[in-house]
Amino acid sequence: MKLSLSVALCLTSLALAQEEADASRWGWNNYVSSKSLQKNIKLPNILRHSHKLLEHSKLSNGTRAFGTKGHNATARYIKQLLDRTGYYNTELQSFPFFAWSGTSKFSADGKEYETRTATYGKAGEVTAPVVLAYATGCLAANFGPAIKGNIALIKRGDCDLGLKVAHAGTAGAAGVILYNNVPGSFSGTLGASPRPEGPYTPVGSISGEDGDALAASIAGGKAIVGTLIANVVAEDRWSSNVIATTKRGDQRNIVMAGAHSDSVPAGPGINDDGSGTAGLLELALQLPKFQVRNAVRFAWWTAEEVGLVGSRYYTAHLTPAQNQKIALYLNFDMIASPNGGFFILDGDGDTFGTSGPAGSDHIEQTFKDYFTSAKIQNGTAAFTGRSDYGPFLDAGIPAGGVNTGAEGIKTEQQAAWWGGKAGIAYDPCYHQACDGIENLDTNALLVNTKAAGHAIATYANTLRGIPRTRNQTVTRRSSSLHSELIGFDDGCKHDEDVKV
Ligand SMILES: [Zn+2]
């Protein structure tokens, strides 16, 4: 339908009036600065979000793992609050992800073995003779007719675990026990199924010592009957990233910041990463008091804890033109560890030797500037790419961030700088049920939220020092979305290397 001229003019003036009203409501004449944004960051407001996240976890038995009611409630909560401001275009980026979790038990000849499992193994329960595979089971010919209907005992090594199990499956094995080729226990992944070599079976894995002893008995002619029980939950789970972009600001120069909104199944994740989630949310709720020169985009990633799935999905689905518009990415994962430190990701690589794309050095310096002005000693965290900034590095986007450490151990030097106890973890409740409200260092939560505010406000004003060079054909590490599936047992891939 074509509008008449007078109607069009009328709409234009209405739009202008609305814009003026918005301008006064949001202070659009008032460009954001580090100082002004920081001033609006209040600890009780951040903690209000933390308490909400804890409530969400109670919807699903104390967890906010992706795909649970608890996590969905967190995503909804964030989106609702942001929508209410009217300042953002918000989006739930929803997609399915195949989730596998499982445990196995194995006993034989009256002995209960310490048993782990391998991702993608099938569910099942079998009691049958335990039969040795020849060699390491990497060839179909390594499995004779005696395997049929029985439990195959296979040594690790020479080829991937999935190939061994598939060959055993083709030979008719009812189950597979994998044993380590070195001392100690292990767990791994079989890789996605189906595969051409054959079907998977229920799987358990045992230590090198146990496996060698068992194999020696069987080779010596002893008949051994074993019981393998594999409990497995494997399903597609739908889950969402929450993405919010300021309506104002230059949309060709986007300053992006993210935290992950999911926890591990074991706990509510109020520090990991409820701290980054709450801090960024509060920043996103205060930013509407100001005008921005460059657009700011916030992201709350789903399924970080099973392999950076949400952030990988996001970067994998950026067109080259969309990628080009993202000037940089800032990551905030675990910013309130109770025995933590103030670590900045090593963007220039001068501490750990691995740098990010050009501009990552500038981001590191921007955080350093903040800690210097706040008179807080900072440490450095290795730029390994093993949190949600990793997929951005792969996409050639400059990145950085701060964290307070996870399961790493605090040094004497760090305790002297930051207090806390040397010799114990930065977060003793890391990935555990006790990662609740009382697990937060509220001072660190406030300090790091302000650090995030400093960086966001700085770059929302100017991107000087951040080059926009992308080399799409050269990536630093592989991040193919479907190339791997990481079971819950593998846990969160936080940076463990922190240095002072
Ligand atoms: Zn985390």
Side-chain angles (χ1 to χ4, degrees):
M1 191 179 70
K2 196 167 178 244
L3 289 173
S4 76
L5 186 62
S6 63
V7 173
L9 282 174
C10 178
L11 284 178
T12 306
S13 63
L14 269 179
L16 283 175
Q18 180 61 42
E19 207 159 282
E20 270 166 29
D22 287 347
S24 62
R25 183 170 135 224
W26 289 326
W28 275 351
N29 304 318
N30 181 16
Y31 281 94
V32 69
S33 72
S34 168
K35 212 171 152 190
S36 59
L37 185 56
Q38 283 187 55
K39 226 182 190 170
N40 281 274
I41 301 305
K42 304 275 193 273
L43 182 61
N45 289 342
I46 306 172
L47 288 174
R48 201 159 43 89
H49 305 312
S50 308
H51 281 278
K52 282 286 183 188
L53 300 191
L54 189 69
E55 275 176 35
H56 299 154
S57 72
K58 290 174 184 163
L59 297 172
S60 43
N61 227 352
T63 180
R64 296 182 305 108
F66 90 97
T68 64
K69 282 184 183 167
H71 178 250
N72 293 343
T74 293
R76 258 198 317 275
Y77 173 71
I78 294 167
K79 185 169 187 299
Q80 275 172 3
L81 287 184
L82 296 176
D83 281 341
R84 238 178 258 167
T85 67
Y87 188 80
Y88 299 98
N89 288 316
T90 65
E91 182 199 351
L92 285 180
Q93 186 181 36
S94 304
F95 57 93
F97 181 68
F98 182 76
W100 185 101
S101 65
T103 54
S104 290
K105 280 185 188 176
F106 176 62
S107 57
D109 214 19
K111 178 177 158 81
E112 187 80 41
Y113 287 85
E114 191 212 318
T115 313
R116 296 193 183 180
T117 187
T119 304
Y120 279 114
K122 270 179 58 180
E125 182 169 345
V126 53
T127 296
V130 182
V131 181
L132 271 179
Y134 305 123
T136 45
C138 293
L139 301 170
N142 291 158
F143 299 88
I147 295 290
K148 197 170 166 84
N150 295 330
I151 297 172
L153 181 64
I154 313 174
K155 193 170 189 167
R156 183 187 188 185
D158 296 344
C159 63
D160 68 283
L161 300 175
L163 183 61
K164 298 166 193 268
V165 176
H167 284 323
T170 294
V176 169
I177 295 297
L178 299 161
Y179 68 100
N180 210 345
N181 54 355
V182 291
S185 45
F186 79 109
S187 49
T189 177
L190 304 182
S193 67
R195 56 188 295 164
E197 298 87 357
Y200 289 157
T201 69
V203 172
S205 66
I206 61 176
S207 72
E209 297 88 329
D210 284 345
D212 284 337
L214 193 57
S217 308
I218 296 168
K222 190 167 179 197
I224 290 179
V225 171
T227 296
L228 169 63
I229 301 169
N231 291 310
V232 168
V233 177
E235 61 193 7
D236 267 334
R237 292 190 193 169
W238 281 85
S239 184
S240 307
N241 292 324
V242 184
I243 312 284
T245 310
T246 55
K247 292 175 181 169
R248 290 308 193 88
D250 184 348
Q251 301 291 327
R252 295 161 307 172
N253 288 297
I254 299 169
V255 175
M256 194 159 178
H260 71 84
S261 54
D262 64 317
S263 74
V264 291
I270 301 304
N271 180 37
D272 181 13
D273 182 26
S275 57
T277 292
L280 273 196
L281 178 57
E282 188 52 26
L283 273 170
L285 294 175
Q286 295 305 324
L287 191 60
K289 292 177 177 165
F290 306 99
Q291 169 65 296
V292 287
R293 288 187 172 82
N294 298 316
V296 177
R297 178 174 295 163
F298 293 95
W300 287 268
W301 308 115
T302 183
E304 188 269 359
E305 297 288 9
V306 287
L308 320 180
V309 174
S311 52
R312 283 186 188 187
Y313 185 89
Y314 178 82
T315 55
H317 288 79
L318 288 173
T319 64
Q322 289 168 333
N323 173 311
Q324 186 67 28
K325 287 173 186 160
I326 300 172
L328 55 86
Y329 173 74
L330 308 168
N331 197 60
F332 302 95
D333 189 359
M334 301 184 74
I335 59 169
S337 301
N339 189 44
F342 292 100
F343 299 106
I344 304 174
L345 289 169
D346 187 23
D348 61 10
D350 69 340
T351 310
F352 292 99
T354 310
S355 60
S360 305
D361 50 343
H362 194 278
I363 298 170
E364 183 184 358
Q365 188 57 48
T366 296
F367 283 117
K368 274 189 185 162
D369 293 345
Y370 166 80
F371 285 106
T372 303
S373 72
K375 299 191 168 56
I376 295 171
Q377 174 73 47
N378 76 267
T380 309
F383 219 167
T384 59
R386 297 177 76 190
S387 182
D388 287 312
Y389 61 85
F392 285 84
L393 299 182
D394 293 346
I397 297 170
V402 296
N403 66 60
T404 49
E407 77 276 40
I409 304 296
K410 192 172 233 178
T411 65
E412 295 287 348
Q413 170 70 83
Q414 292 169 342
W417 283 346
W418 300 315
K421 280 191 192 139
I424 67 164
Y426 300 117
D427 181 356
C429 281
Y430 175 62
H431 284 182
Q432 295 172 47
C434 56
D435 185 8
I437 299 287
E438 61 292 336
N439 195 41
L440 294 172
D441 177 335
T442 54
N443 175 56
L445 182 58
L446 184 62
V447 163
N448 282 317
T449 301
K450 288 185 174 184
H454 169 73
I456 290 168
T458 299
Y459 292 124
N461 268 310
T462 174
L463 287 163
R464 210 176 306 126
I466 307 289
R468 196 71 54 87
T469 48
R470 298 281 193 274
N471 190 342
Q472 295 288 331
T473 57
V474 179
T475 52
R476 298 173 62 256
R477 54 183 74 73
S478 131
S479 74
S480 153
L481 180 65
H482 298 293
S483 66
E484 63 184 296
L485 179 144
I486 297 164
F488 288 130
D489 288 347
D490 292 23
C492 190
K493 301 182 129 200
H494 287 290
D495 296 302
E496 283 153 42
D497 300 329
V498 283
K499 218 186 241 179
V500 295

